[in-house]
Amino acid sequence: MSGIRWRRAWSGGLALAAGLAMIPVALAANDPLDRIGATEAIQARFDAATRQTQVSGKAAPDLCFSFALPEEWRLTEIGLKAVTSDADLSIGLRSAEELRDMPQPDLAIRDAAALQRDYEELLGRPAQSVSLTSEPRATRWSATWIDASLPTASQAMTVETLIVPLSSEWVLELSLSGVKSREAYEALAWRLMARLKVQGRADCRG
């Protein structure tokens, strides 16, 4: 089992934004934003018998989460990378304290507003299209920028994040990218959410 520390800052903002625009299906999802993350490690372990990667992490000493991904995934600086495909999963945590200046009453919607603000500041212009939908266990935020200078056939870039409330104090941000089709993306997102568990102190491992 291996682990990484949550990074306090995401570097290379503009360069990464350019890279996001080159994702084949124009669905970008890595978080290039400089902000405070959690201080606990993520753990990832591949189980060859079940062909699944078990992932766990901590938002706080008394608040943990875990989920399973199909096939083998390995840790990266911002989350996980599939071994047998181009799929990536970036993982972020944001606290209610960090979102205290946002006016929205719901924590997940405050986080979506913060993501919107941060990406628009990064890209230097507002999104042409924004979507915010409630799902059984998460809020899905997505935004699209259309510009002739983007190096994609559609000249569009979309970023999308699943925002999962872990408690009244923390939200988990899960962002998939590099998935070969929208159908495969939705299937993987559904499977991830179906296997997501939130645990209290008694079930948190050191």
Side-chain angles (χ1 to χ4, degrees):
M1 183 178 291
S2 58
I4 60 173
R5 303 299 295 180
W6 291 93
R7 293 167 63 83
R8 183 177 178 87
W10 307 84
S11 60
L14 291 175
L16 183 51
L20 292 177
M22 299 177 68
I23 292 173
V25 294
L27 183 66
N30 289 340
D31 187 347
L33 311 172
D34 293 333
R35 60 178 178 79
I36 297 173
T39 58
E40 298 292 341
I42 313 174
Q43 303 289 330
R45 179 178 58 84
F46 176 62
D47 186 333
T50 63
R51 303 297 304 174
Q52 293 189 119
T53 299
Q54 303 293 329
V55 183
S56 62
K58 285 185 178 180
D62 60 349
L63 184 63
C64 306
F65 61 89
S66 64
F67 55 85
L69 292 167
E71 300 301 331
E72 184 175 4
W73 294 63
R74 294 177 183 170
L75 291 165
T76 68
E77 289 186 341
I78 60 170
L80 296 150
K81 166 71 177 166
V83 172
T84 59
S85 74
D86 294 327
D88 289 280
L89 174 66
S90 67
I91 304 172
L93 285 167
R94 208 185 303 236
S95 69
E97 173 64 19
E98 187 180 353
L99 297 167
R100 65 186 182 280
D101 295 331
M102 306 301 290
Q104 294 79 4
D106 179 83
L107 183 60
I109 297 176
R110 291 206 300 274
D111 187 59
L115 284 170
Q116 180 82 24
R117 175 201 62 199
D118 293 343
Y119 270 102
E120 289 184 345
E121 288 178 355
L122 175 71
L123 296 172
R125 56 189 181 276
Q128 279 89 352
S129 174
V130 179
S131 173
L132 189 65
T133 58
S134 295
E135 303 192 358
R137 302 191 64 188
T139 294
R140 185 187 297 232
W141 167 81
S142 64
T144 298
W145 285 259
I146 301 171
D147 193 291
S149 64
L150 291 172
T152 60
S154 64
Q155 297 181 330
M157 181 186 77
T158 297
V159 294
E160 184 168 292
T161 298
L162 290 169
I163 303 168
V164 184
L166 298 178
S167 71
S168 61
E169 295 297 322
W170 289 96
V171 292
L172 174 67
E173 299 170 350
L174 299 170
S175 302
L176 285 164
S177 63
V179 184
K180 62 182 179 180
S181 68
R182 187 70 201 191
E183 292 75 15
Y185 173 94
E186 293 294 349
L188 182 55
W190 181 89
R191 181 168 179 168
L192 191 164
M193 293 304 302
R195 288 162 173 75
L196 178 67
K197 296 179 181 178
V198 182
Q199 301 153 325
R201 181 184 296 273
D203 297 312
C204 289
R205 297 178 179 178

